[in-house]
Amino acid sequence: MRILILGGDGYLGWPTAMHFSQRGHEVHAVDNYLRRRAHAEAGTDTLTPILDSLPERARAWEGVTGKHIGVTEGDVCDWETLERLFLTFRPEAIVHYGQMPSAPYSMRDRAHAVFTQYNNVVGTLNVLFAMRDIAPDAHLVKLGTMGEYGTPDIDIEEGYLEVHHNGRSDTVPFPKQPGSLYHASKVHDSTNMLFACRTWGLSATDLNQGVVYGIDTPEARLDPRLATRFDYDETFGTALNRFCVQAVIGQPLTVYGGGGQTRGYLNIVDTLQCVELAVLHRATPGEFRVFNQFTETFSLTDLAETVARAGRDVGLEVRVDHLDNPRVEEEEHYYNPAHTKLLDLGLQPHYLSETLIESMFEAIQRHTDRVIRDHMLPETRWAPRTAERAPSG
Amino acid sequence: MRILILGGDGYLGWPTAMHFSQRGHEVHAVDNYLRRRAHAEAGTDTLTPILDSLPERARAWEGVTGKHIGVTEGDVCDWETLERLFLTFRPEAIVHYGQMPSAPYSMRDRAHAVFTQYNNVVGTLNVLFAMRDIAPDAHLVKLGTMGEYGTPDIDIEEGYLEVHHNGRSDTVPFPKQPGSLYHASKVHDSTNMLFACRTWGLSATDLNQGVVYGIDTPEARLDPRLATRFDYDETFGTALNRFCVQAVIGQPLTVYGGGGQTRGYLNIVDTLQCVELAVLHRATPGEFRVFNQFTETFSLTDLAETVARAGRDVGLEVRVDHLDNPRVEEEEHYYNPAHTKLLDLGLQPHYLSETLIESMFEAIQRHTDRVIRDHMLPETRWAPRTAERAPSG
């Protein structure tokens, strides 16, 4: 298949590009280096050394495997770039990671919030129009997030909810209560994609993904130059990855607030499996299909204790700190999201184990000299003091 | 009260500004003339002659009533403009009409869709941040649309739905299924506003308004220079207003498709009442309150027949044509939306009557020389042929 990977330079995008290329698909990866630029501005960086550009990564991949990955350095918000890509590559599947993926980034200030929503909403609109006008039979596999749902007091279903109300019933989009303006941007995307599928007969799968952890994929293991990025800073580092770095460098694991916040998690190798399953089992024309993409749920406290235990087993001194929660979120809540559809398609989960955490410790230990200790603690607050202090109207 | 009217040059914004000014409030109206520019580009115009600018309108108002309306010619998407307004005017209530309000405009092509969502989402984000940082005690009264809900097969509630699911229950945002990319932009706004109220403790009321009809308000009646605009073209003209113009000029009333499409409707004078009720009875801090703002539901066929009957009573020859539906929408559907909250606050509805339609005929007849007959028929299709024709991937 001809598979277009938007955001192909990212933590998940690059491993996905290699994964499909290794399996004989024709892969074209697109990225505008938004993540690299955001790191440069913040003074942070990936823990793992990665090559300087997508063309260099593709050359290394070709050198190692003899397989070709096409690349474009460009922005999906730029219509001319996207249109040309669709006209020349004629994708059969589009895997869309090409977004600003950080909740803290979106909550930093007005400009970052506006940029996040502009970038994500306009990029996805462009993809939908490109499909409508150039590749109506292609299948969009779009990365959403479990954070679109929030933490309602009922079971979370996969995208839709059968509602019985005043003696009638209907199946409706599952109500969304996003936890940041980034998560809200993904809700906007879901609304637009559902509309486009219904109105234009497009096919799309929304992968509402949990928090991804891990550093190692079969293709990345082939050569150090093929490593994916690994973020551990306050903006792009997610809970488990950041905890592992903190354990290795002897800093306390920073749990935000009480630690009862429970979310879905999955190993990076399961992300690759899930995306492949979605691509190989396409949605039907007019269908906006939604999968919840995670394999297990953990509270922050669960995760921190698991990392602490694994750390002590290998001789690390690990302390767990509870910080004032920078986010506005429920710290004790019901959480029971469905996640059977990908299992039904054949997903074989790699569950979190101390062995996996220990292998992450080893990978991190190879690069401790690269750890930037600033910017690991949260500076962005969801409800900043200025809001509390502002004079009344 | 100090009331900021965003979109104060529009069909509803200008009458709202006069309405509050007449009642002794301090009013400041803002507009960037987006609507006037869109008309100029399309070669269409308001039926009623209106003054050339917001400052001229405010001068006429002051001449007639001795009352002052402050004005700013500027764009809510421009942060510096909005920030300065909040800092100098220090609004206690913000009535937000300042958006691109047309479904057909948003469906014309990719550029119009992107502009609509950019303009509406970024403008509202700017307002929310201005409130957070400058006027946290102000109350936002935002115009939403009944079109956010779509036509689910269950009763539509006012913003929220109590769901019973797998033995548990919760009250969640009512699931939205917008009918165009414009309506989707309003869904995005609702998602962002709910988040801002919960996270920053802001107060907002979302007025999910039906289709507004009518031309006459008590303040506009004081002087011809105070008239509001009246649109009847395919892009900005809504069903009843357009039908009345068609009846007067002897063109067939153009019902899209079967005509069973049922929507909520209200008289422009009831819009003014509803907005005033929302402003005077503010939402509490942290509350995102939702009202469904309409007084009656009609199918397109009901409306066309009512206009035809009224037309024949005054000697007009009126024919009703069913056009190929340019939209993708259900033409026969269940529709039972709640609308009690504004009635509970004291709304006294002005229901649609043949007398009202006849008075609209008279108002229109005074300006038949201004009718532009091009651009009354729908040219924008929700699912354009290019989508159907495009070669497969």
Side-chain angles (χ1 to χ4, degrees):
Chain A
M1 282 176 79
R2 289 187 303 279
I3 303 172
L4 185 62
I5 316 275
L6 306 176
D9 188 52
Y11 170 52
L12 302 176
W14 174 240
T16 302
M18 293 191 292
H19 181 88
F20 280 116
S21 177
Q22 183 73 314
R23 279 151 190 79
H25 299 286
E26 191 177 337
V27 174
H28 194 98
V30 184
D31 212 294
N32 68 338
Y33 305 129
L34 177 55
R35 176 83 66 103
R36 293 179 188 244
R37 278 182 282 124
H39 273 289
E41 281 166 25
T44 51
D45 201 359
T46 168
L47 181 73
T48 46
I50 60 174
L51 295 181
D52 278 345
S53 71
L54 208 39
E56 287 177 54
R57 294 177 114 174
R59 271 195 296 276
W61 174 249
E62 194 155 350
V64 171
T65 64
K67 295 189 162 73
H68 178 72
I69 292 177
V71 297
T72 293
E73 294 169 298
D75 187 348
V76 295
C77 288
D78 172 35
W79 172 248
E80 282 67 34
T81 299
L82 198 69
E83 185 184 36
R84 196 169 49 240
L85 267 166
F86 269 70
L87 287 170
T88 54
F89 185 66
R90 302 200 79 78
E92 293 164 288
I94 300 115
V95 179
H96 183 15
Y97 294 105
Q99 304 203 295
M100 168 50 66
S102 164
Y105 183 94
S106 76
M107 297 304 295
R108 194 167 304 157
D109 56 26
R110 187 199 64 84
H112 285 78
V114 165
F115 174 77
T116 301
Q117 294 212 348
Y118 164 81
N119 182 72
N120 293 1
V121 170
V122 172
T124 301
L125 280 176
N126 280 350
V127 171
L128 294 170
F129 275 94
M131 290 175 69
R132 186 191 79 165
D133 293 339
I134 305 169
D137 295 327
H139 175 216
L140 173 61
V141 175
K142 161 71 164 54
L143 272 289
T145 160
M146 287 300 295
E148 294 182 37
Y149 297 115
T151 54
D153 214 24
I154 54 172
D155 292 346
I156 294 170
E157 303 303 328
E158 300 194 65
Y160 298 91
L161 179 66
E162 190 181 327
V163 172
H164 305 275
H165 179 53
N166 295 350
R168 302 180 61 88
S169 62
D170 198 3
T171 299
V172 297
F174 197 95
K176 302 289 183 71
Q177 295 176 86
S180 76
L181 290 169
Y182 151 69
H183 293 102
S185 76
K186 296 278 205 176
V187 174
H188 306 342
D189 280 340
S190 299
T191 300
N192 287 341
M193 287 189 290
L194 173 58
F195 174 81
C197 289
R198 288 198 174 169
T199 306
W200 300 331
L202 304 182
S203 308
T205 301
D206 202 11
L207 298 175
N208 283 338
Q209 188 168 245
V211 184
V212 185
Y213 58 81
I215 197 164
D216 210 24
T217 73
E219 290 77 26
R221 221 173 286 138
L222 297 174
D223 188 290
R225 292 171 300 157
L226 302 179
T228 191
R229 65 176 312 115
F230 188 85
D231 295 321
Y232 57 95
D233 58 290
E234 66 141 345
T235 303
F236 297 108
T238 46
L240 186 62
N241 287 353
R242 198 178 62 238
F243 287 167
C244 287
V245 173
Q246 289 169 324
V248 166
I249 67 172
Q251 283 194 358
L253 314 193
T254 48
V255 171
Y256 296 170
Q261 303 96 306
T262 302
R263 300 289 185 268
Y265 288 82
L266 74 165
N267 190 308
I268 188 171
V269 298
D270 288 345
T271 293
L272 302 185
Q273 265 196 86
C274 291
V275 170
E276 183 178 9
L277 287 168
V279 166
L280 297 183
H281 302 83
R282 56 168 297 153
T284 56
E287 185 187 10
F288 178 63
R289 186 173 65 167
V290 183
F291 294 159
N292 292 347
Q293 178 166 312
F294 66 94
T295 59
E296 298 171 276
T297 63
F298 299 106
S299 72
L300 279 180
T301 301
D302 291 338
L303 273 188
E305 282 173 3
T306 306
V307 172
R309 213 164 35 238
R312 287 177 202 123
D313 284 354
V314 298
L316 297 170
E317 274 187 46
V318 185
R319 211 178 76 212
V320 176
D321 264 10
H322 287 260
L323 303 186
D324 229 28
N325 196 340
R327 305 188 176 201
V328 175
E329 60 186 358
E330 286 185 85
E331 297 183 2
E332 291 297 333
H333 58 89
Y334 181 75
Y335 201 62
N336 185 34
H339 57 119
T340 58
K341 289 187 185 178
L342 282 159
L343 294 168
D344 292 345
L345 288 182
L347 171 65
Q348 303 286 332
H350 296 70
Y351 294 113
L352 183 63
S353 65
E354 289 190 31
T355 316
L356 182 274
I357 294 176
E358 288 168 19
S359 80
M360 285 176 66
F361 288 158
E362 285 167 28
I364 292 164
Q365 274 158 339
R366 286 198 292 277
H367 303 294
T368 44
D369 57 309
R370 286 176 53 91
V371 173
I372 298 166
R373 284 158 196 257
D374 297 342
H375 309 297
M376 290 180 67
L377 294 177
E379 282 169 23
T380 294
R381 300 191 69 80
W382 262 230
R385 293 262 168 69
T386 52
E388 293 154 29
R389 255 198 335 233
S392 58
Chain B
M1 283 176 77
R2 290 187 302 279
I3 303 173
L4 185 62
I5 316 274
L6 306 176
D9 188 52
Y11 170 53
L12 302 175
W14 174 241
T16 301
M18 293 192 291
H19 180 90
F20 281 116
S21 177
Q22 184 74 312
R23 279 151 190 77
H25 299 286
E26 192 177 335
V27 174
H28 194 99
V30 184
D31 213 294
N32 68 339
Y33 304 128
L34 176 55
R35 177 84 66 105
R36 292 179 189 244
R37 278 182 281 125
H39 273 290
E41 281 166 27
T44 51
D45 201 0
T46 167
L47 180 73
T48 46
I50 59 173
L51 295 180
D52 279 346
S53 71
L54 207 39
E56 287 177 55
R57 295 178 115 175
R59 271 196 296 277
W61 175 249
E62 194 155 351
V64 171
T65 65
K67 295 188 161 75
H68 178 73
I69 293 177
V71 297
T72 294
E73 295 169 296
D75 187 349
V76 296
C77 289
D78 172 37
W79 172 247
E80 283 65 35
T81 299
L82 197 70
E83 184 184 38
R84 195 168 52 241
L85 267 167
F86 268 72
L87 287 170
T88 54
F89 185 66
R90 302 201 78 78
E92 293 164 288
I94 300 114
V95 180
H96 183 14
Y97 294 105
Q99 304 203 295
M100 169 50 67
S102 164
Y105 183 95
S106 75
M107 297 304 295
R108 193 167 306 160
D109 55 27
R110 187 200 64 85
H112 286 78
V114 165
F115 174 78
T116 300
Q117 294 213 346
Y118 164 83
N119 183 72
N120 293 1
V121 170
V122 172
T124 300
L125 279 175
N126 279 350
V127 171
L128 294 170
F129 275 94
M131 290 175 68
R132 186 190 80 166
D133 292 338
I134 305 169
D137 296 327
H139 175 214
L140 174 61
V141 175
K142 161 70 163 56
L143 272 287
T145 161
M146 287 300 295
E148 294 181 36
Y149 297 115
T151 54
D153 213 24
I154 55 172
D155 292 347
I156 294 170
E157 302 302 328
E158 299 195 64
Y160 299 91
L161 179 66
E162 190 182 328
V163 172
H164 305 276
H165 179 51
N166 296 350
R168 302 179 62 89
S169 61
D170 197 2
T171 299
V172 296
F174 197 95
K176 302 290 183 71
Q177 296 177 83
S180 75
L181 290 169
Y182 151 70
H183 291 103
S185 77
K186 296 278 204 175
V187 174
H188 306 342
D189 280 340
S190 298
T191 300
N192 286 341
M193 287 189 289
L194 173 58
F195 174 81
C197 289
R198 289 200 174 166
T199 306
W200 301 331
L202 303 182
S203 308
T205 301
D206 202 11
L207 298 174
N208 284 337
Q209 188 167 246
V211 184
V212 186
Y213 59 82
I215 196 164
D216 210 23
T217 73
E219 291 76 26
R221 222 174 286 138
L222 297 174
D223 190 289
R225 292 171 299 158
L226 302 178
T228 192
R229 66 176 311 115
F230 187 86
D231 295 321
Y232 57 94
D233 58 289
E234 65 141 344
T235 303
F236 297 108
T238 46
L240 186 61
N241 287 354
R242 198 178 61 234
F243 287 166
C244 287
V245 174
Q246 290 170 323
V248 167
I249 66 172
Q251 283 194 357
L253 315 191
T254 48
V255 171
Y256 296 171
Q261 303 96 309
T262 301
R263 301 288 186 267
Y265 288 81
L266 75 165
N267 190 306
I268 187 170
V269 298
D270 289 344
T271 292
L272 302 184
Q273 266 195 84
C274 291
V275 169
E276 183 178 9
L277 287 167
V279 166
L280 297 184
H281 301 83
R282 56 169 297 153
T284 56
E287 185 186 9
F288 178 63
R289 186 173 64 168
V290 183
F291 295 159
N292 292 347
Q293 178 166 312
F294 66 95
T295 60
E296 298 171 275
T297 61
F298 298 106
S299 72
L300 279 179
T301 300
D302 291 339
L303 274 188
E305 281 173 3
T306 306
V307 172
R309 212 162 35 237
R312 287 176 202 125
D313 284 355
V314 299
L316 297 169
E317 274 187 44
V318 185
R319 211 179 76 213
V320 176
D321 265 10
H322 287 261
L323 304 185
D324 228 29
N325 196 340
R327 306 188 175 202
V328 176
E329 61 187 357
E330 286 185 84
E331 297 184 1
E332 291 298 333
H333 57 90
Y334 181 75
Y335 200 62
N336 185 34
H339 58 119
T340 58
K341 289 187 184 178
L342 282 159
L343 293 167
D344 292 346
L345 288 182
L347 171 64
Q348 303 287 331
H350 295 71
Y351 295 113
L352 183 63
S353 65
E354 289 190 32
T355 317
L356 182 274
I357 293 177
E358 288 168 19
S359 79
M360 285 177 68
F361 288 157
E362 286 167 29
I364 292 165
Q365 274 157 342
R366 285 198 292 278
H367 304 294
T368 43
D369 58 310
R370 287 175 52 90
V371 173
I372 298 165
R373 285 157 195 255
D374 297 344
H375 309 296
M376 290 180 67
L377 294 177
E379 281 169 22
T380 295
R381 301 190 70 79
W382 262 229
R385 294 263 168 68
T386 51
E388 294 154 29
R389 257 201 332 236
S392 58

